[in-house]
Amino acid sequence: MRVVIKGDVRRWKRMGKPRILKRFFGIVVGHQSFRNPCTGKTYPFSFFEVADGFTVFALTAGPKPEVILVRQFKQAADRVVIEAPGGQWRRNEALLDAARRELREETGYVAEALVQTSPKHGWWLGPRKSRNIAHTFLATGCTLEGAQELDRGEGPIEVLAYTPEEFWDLATNGTIRSFQTVLAAHCAVALRAFKPRKLPPP
């Protein structure tokens, strides 16, 4: 490592306890003040917290695996979204069990092998605004075992299968905009379980 621009980077002092503004449907919204050690000034920062989530990059069984994606309406984006299956981790549930459960519930597929591709403690989604963690998994050898088992109120979920080439086209043309889906795909590439995107010749 080499330092390109040196900075006096230090931990800021947390001032008092966090103030919770609202709790609803498992979501916590609040703010916390911190003192800048360089200026001595105190600034408030808002934050939100939800249950930690995960994304499962799933590949079908067979000599030419396809990517299993789901298509459903997402309220915050206010549009129909295509992404990898995933969900939220339940308390007292092992992460691998949660990923296996969510894959089965959303898609009807069961994986022959399932491995965590994120670091042990997961990825920070946005460390300035949230302490929430996201995990990524790779599911291989997936076979369709039965019907979906969707939660009430989740709405219909369409299950799709794409070739690697089709997936990368969707990820580069803006159809897939979920960074966790694309991150999980690159993790699968790093494990040599998925073909990387083919770049056009110069």
Coordinates of all heavy atoms in Angstrom, one line a residue, residues 15-56:
M15 N -21.7 11.7 20.5 CA -22.2 12.6 21.5 C -23.6 12.1 22.0 O -24.6 12.2 21.3 CB -22.3 14.0 21.0 CG -21.0 14.5 20.3 SD -19.6 14.5 21.5 CE -20.1 15.8 22.6
G16 N -23.6 11.6 23.2 CA -24.9 11.1 23.7 C -25.3 9.8 23.1 O -24.6 9.1 22.4
K17 N -26.6 9.5 23.3 CA -27.2 8.3 22.8 C -27.9 8.6 21.5 O -28.4 9.7 21.3 CB -28.1 7.6 23.8 CG -27.4 7.2 25.1 CD -28.4 6.5 26.1 CE -27.7 6.0 27.3 NZ -28.6 5.4 28.3
P18 N -28.1 7.6 20.7 CA -28.9 7.8 19.5 C -30.3 8.1 19.8 O -30.9 7.5 20.7 CB -28.8 6.5 18.7 CG -28.4 5.5 19.7 CD -27.6 6.2 20.7
R19 N -30.9 9.0 19.1 CA -32.4 9.4 19.3 C -33.2 8.7 18.2 O -33.0 8.9 17.0 CB -32.5 10.9 19.2 CG -34.0 11.3 19.5 CD -34.1 12.8 19.3 NE -35.6 13.2 19.4 CZ -36.0 14.4 19.2 NH1 -35.2 15.3 18.7 NH2 -37.3 14.7 19.3
I20 N -34.1 7.8 18.7 CA -35.0 7.1 17.8 C -36.2 7.9 17.5 O -36.9 8.4 18.4 CB -35.4 5.7 18.4 CG1 -34.2 4.9 18.8 CG2 -36.3 5.0 17.4 CD1 -33.2 4.6 17.7
L21 N -36.4 8.2 16.2 CA -37.5 9.0 15.8 C -38.8 8.2 15.6 O -39.9 8.7 15.8 CB -37.2 9.8 14.5 CG -35.9 10.8 14.7 CD1 -35.7 11.4 13.3 CD2 -36.2 11.8 15.8
K22 N -38.6 7.0 15.0 CA -39.7 6.2 14.7 C -39.3 4.7 14.5 O -38.2 4.4 14.0 CB -40.4 6.7 13.4 CG -41.8 6.2 13.2 CD -42.5 7.0 12.1 CE -44.0 6.5 12.0 NZ -44.7 7.3 10.9
R23 N -40.2 3.9 14.9 CA -40.1 2.4 14.7 C -41.4 2.0 14.0 O -42.5 2.2 14.5 CB -39.9 1.7 16.0 CG -38.6 2.0 16.8 CD -38.7 1.2 18.1 NE -37.6 1.6 19.0 CZ -36.4 1.0 19.0 NH1 -36.2 -0.1 18.3 NH2 -35.5 1.4 19.9
F24 N -41.2 1.3 12.9 CA -42.4 0.7 12.3 C -42.0 -0.4 11.3 O -41.1 -0.3 10.6 CB -43.2 1.8 11.5 CG -42.4 2.5 10.5 CD1 -42.4 2.2 9.1 CD2 -41.5 3.5 10.8 CE1 -41.7 2.9 8.2 CE2 -40.7 4.2 9.9 CZ -40.8 3.9 8.6
F25 N -42.8 -1.5 11.4 CA -42.6 -2.7 10.5 C -41.2 -3.2 10.5 O -40.6 -3.5 9.5 CB -43.1 -2.4 9.1 CG -44.5 -2.0 9.0 CD1 -44.9 -0.7 8.7 CD2 -45.5 -3.0 9.2 CE1 -46.2 -0.4 8.5 CE2 -46.8 -2.7 9.1 CZ -47.2 -1.4 8.7
G26 N -40.5 -3.1 11.7 CA -39.2 -3.6 11.8 C -38.1 -2.6 11.4 O -36.9 -3.0 11.3
I27 N -38.5 -1.4 11.0 CA -37.6 -0.4 10.6 C -37.4 0.6 11.7 O -38.4 1.1 12.3 CB -38.1 0.3 9.3 CG1 -38.3 -0.7 8.2 CG2 -37.1 1.4 8.8 CD1 -39.0 -0.2 7.0
V28 N -36.1 1.0 11.9 CA -35.8 2.1 12.9 C -35.2 3.3 12.2 O -34.3 3.1 11.4 CB -34.8 1.5 13.9 CG1 -34.5 2.6 14.9 CG2 -35.4 0.3 14.7
V29 N -35.8 4.4 12.5 CA -35.3 5.7 11.9 C -34.9 6.6 13.1 O -35.6 6.8 14.0 CB -36.3 6.4 11.0 CG1 -35.8 7.7 10.5 CG2 -36.8 5.5 9.9
G30 N -33.7 7.2 13.0 CA -33.3 8.1 14.1 C -32.1 9.0 13.7 O -31.8 9.1 12.5
H31 N -31.5 9.6 14.7 CA -30.3 10.4 14.4 C -29.4 10.4 15.6 O -29.8 10.1 16.7 CB -30.6 11.8 14.0 CG -31.2 12.7 15.0 ND1 -30.5 13.3 16.0 CD2 -32.5 13.2 15.2 CE1 -31.2 14.0 16.8 NE2 -32.5 13.9 16.4
Q32 N -28.1 10.6 15.3 CA -27.0 10.5 16.3 C -26.0 11.6 16.0 O -25.7 11.9 14.8 CB -26.3 9.2 16.2 CG -25.0 9.1 17.0 CD -25.3 9.0 18.5 OE1 -26.0 8.0 18.9 NE2 -24.8 9.9 19.2
S33 N -25.6 12.3 17.0 CA -24.6 13.4 16.8 C -23.2 12.9 17.1 O -23.0 12.1 17.9 CB -24.9 14.6 17.8 OG -26.2 15.2 17.5
F34 N -22.3 13.4 16.2 CA -20.9 13.1 16.4 C -20.1 14.4 16.3 O -20.4 15.4 15.6 CB -20.4 12.2 15.2 CG -20.9 10.8 15.2 CD1 -22.2 10.5 14.7 CD2 -20.1 9.8 15.8 CE1 -22.6 9.2 14.8 CE2 -20.6 8.5 15.8 CZ -21.9 8.2 15.3
R35 N -19.0 14.4 17.1 CA -18.0 15.5 17.1 C -16.9 15.3 16.2 O -16.2 14.3 16.3 CB -17.5 15.8 18.5 CG -16.5 17.0 18.6 CD -16.1 17.2 20.0 NE -17.1 17.7 20.8 CZ -17.1 17.7 22.2 NH1 -16.1 17.2 22.8 NH2 -18.1 18.2 22.9
N36 N -16.6 16.2 15.3 CA -15.5 16.1 14.4 C -14.2 16.4 15.1 O -14.1 17.5 15.7 CB -15.7 17.1 13.2 CG -14.6 17.1 12.2 OD1 -13.5 16.7 12.5 ND2 -15.0 17.4 10.9
P37 N -13.3 15.5 15.2 CA -12.1 15.7 16.0 C -11.2 16.8 15.5 O -10.3 17.3 16.2 CB -11.4 14.3 16.0 CG -11.9 13.7 14.8 CD -13.3 14.1 14.6
C38 N -11.3 17.1 14.2 CA -10.4 18.1 13.6 C -10.9 19.5 13.8 O -10.1 20.4 14.0 CB -10.3 17.8 12.1 SG -9.5 16.2 11.7
T39 N -12.3 19.7 13.8 CA -12.8 21.0 14.0 C -13.4 21.2 15.4 O -13.6 22.4 15.8 CB -13.9 21.3 12.9 OG1 -15.0 20.4 13.2 CG2 -13.4 21.0 11.5
G40 N -13.7 20.2 16.1 CA -14.4 20.3 17.4 C -15.9 20.6 17.3 O -16.6 20.7 18.3
K41 N -16.4 20.6 16.1 CA -17.8 20.9 15.9 C -18.6 19.6 15.9 O -18.1 18.6 15.5 CB -18.1 21.6 14.6 CG -17.5 23.1 14.6 CD -17.9 23.8 13.3 CE -17.3 25.2 13.3 NZ -17.7 25.9 12.0
T42 N -19.9 19.7 16.4 CA -20.8 18.6 16.4 C -21.8 18.6 15.3 O -22.4 19.7 15.1 CB -21.5 18.5 17.8 OG1 -20.5 18.4 18.8 CG2 -22.4 17.3 17.9
Y43 N -22.0 17.5 14.7 CA -23.0 17.4 13.6 C -23.9 16.3 13.8 O -23.5 15.2 14.2 CB -22.2 17.2 12.3 CG -21.2 18.2 11.9 CD1 -19.9 18.1 12.3 CD2 -21.5 19.3 11.2 CE1 -18.9 19.0 12.0 CE2 -20.6 20.3 10.8 CZ -19.3 20.1 11.3 OH -18.4 21.1 11.0
P44 N -25.2 16.5 13.5 CA -26.2 15.4 13.6 C -26.2 14.6 12.3 O -26.1 15.1 11.2 CB -27.5 16.1 13.8 CG -27.4 17.4 13.0 CD -25.9 17.8 13.2
F45 N -26.4 13.2 12.4 CA -26.5 12.4 11.2 C -27.7 11.5 11.4 O -27.9 10.9 12.5 CB -25.2 11.5 11.1 CG -24.0 12.2 10.7 CD1 -23.2 12.8 11.7 CD2 -23.6 12.4 9.4 CE1 -22.0 13.5 11.3 CE2 -22.5 13.1 9.0 CZ -21.7 13.7 10.0
S46 N -28.5 11.4 10.4 CA -29.6 10.5 10.4 C -29.2 9.1 10.0 O -28.2 8.9 9.4 CB -30.7 11.0 9.4 OG -30.2 11.0 8.1
F47 N -30.0 8.1 10.5 CA -29.7 6.7 10.2 C -31.0 5.9 10.1 O -32.0 6.4 10.6 CB -28.8 6.1 11.2 CG -29.3 6.0 12.6 CD1 -30.1 4.9 12.9 CD2 -29.1 7.0 13.5 CE1 -30.6 4.8 14.2 CE2 -29.7 6.9 14.8 CZ -30.4 5.8 15.1
F48 N -30.9 4.8 9.5 CA -32.1 3.9 9.5 C -31.5 2.4 9.6 O -30.4 2.2 9.2 CB -32.9 4.0 8.2 CG -32.3 3.5 7.0 CD1 -32.4 2.2 6.5 CD2 -31.4 4.3 6.2 CE1 -31.8 1.7 5.4 CE2 -30.8 3.8 5.1 CZ -31.0 2.5 4.7
E49 N -32.3 1.6 10.1 CA -31.9 0.2 10.3 C -33.1 -0.8 10.0 O -34.2 -0.5 10.4 CB -31.4 -0.1 11.7 CG -30.1 0.6 12.1 CD -29.6 0.3 13.5 OE1 -30.2 -0.6 14.1 OE2 -28.6 0.9 13.9
V50 N -32.8 -1.8 9.3 CA -33.7 -2.9 9.0 C -33.0 -4.2 9.3 O -31.8 -4.2 9.6 CB -34.3 -2.8 7.6 CG1 -35.1 -1.6 7.3 CG2 -33.1 -3.0 6.6
A51 N -33.7 -5.3 9.2 CA -33.1 -6.6 9.4 C -32.0 -6.8 8.3 O -32.2 -6.4 7.1 CB -34.1 -7.7 9.3
D52 N -30.9 -7.4 8.6 CA -29.9 -7.7 7.6 C -30.4 -8.6 6.5 O -31.3 -9.5 6.7 CB -28.7 -8.4 8.2 CG -27.9 -7.4 9.2 OD1 -28.1 -6.2 9.0 OD2 -27.2 -7.9 10.0
G53 N -30.0 -8.3 5.3 CA -30.5 -9.1 4.1 C -29.5 -9.9 3.4 O -28.3 -9.9 3.7
F54 N -29.9 -10.6 2.4 CA -29.0 -11.4 1.6 C -29.5 -11.6 0.2 O -30.7 -11.4 -0.1 CB -28.8 -12.8 2.3 CG -30.0 -13.5 2.6 CD1 -30.6 -14.3 1.6 CD2 -30.6 -13.4 3.8 CE1 -31.8 -15.0 1.9 CE2 -31.8 -14.1 4.1 CZ -32.4 -14.8 3.1
T55 N -28.6 -11.9 -0.7 CA -29.0 -12.2 -2.1 C -28.4 -13.5 -2.5 O -27.2 -13.8 -2.2 CB -28.4 -11.1 -3.0 OG1 -29.0 -9.8 -2.7 CG2 -28.6 -11.4 -4.5
V56 N -29.2 -14.3 -3.2 CA -28.7 -15.6 -3.7 C -28.6 -15.6 -5.2 O -29.6 -15.5 -5.9 CB -29.7 -16.7 -3.2 CG1 -29.2 -18.1 -3.6 CG2 -30.0 -16.7 -1.7

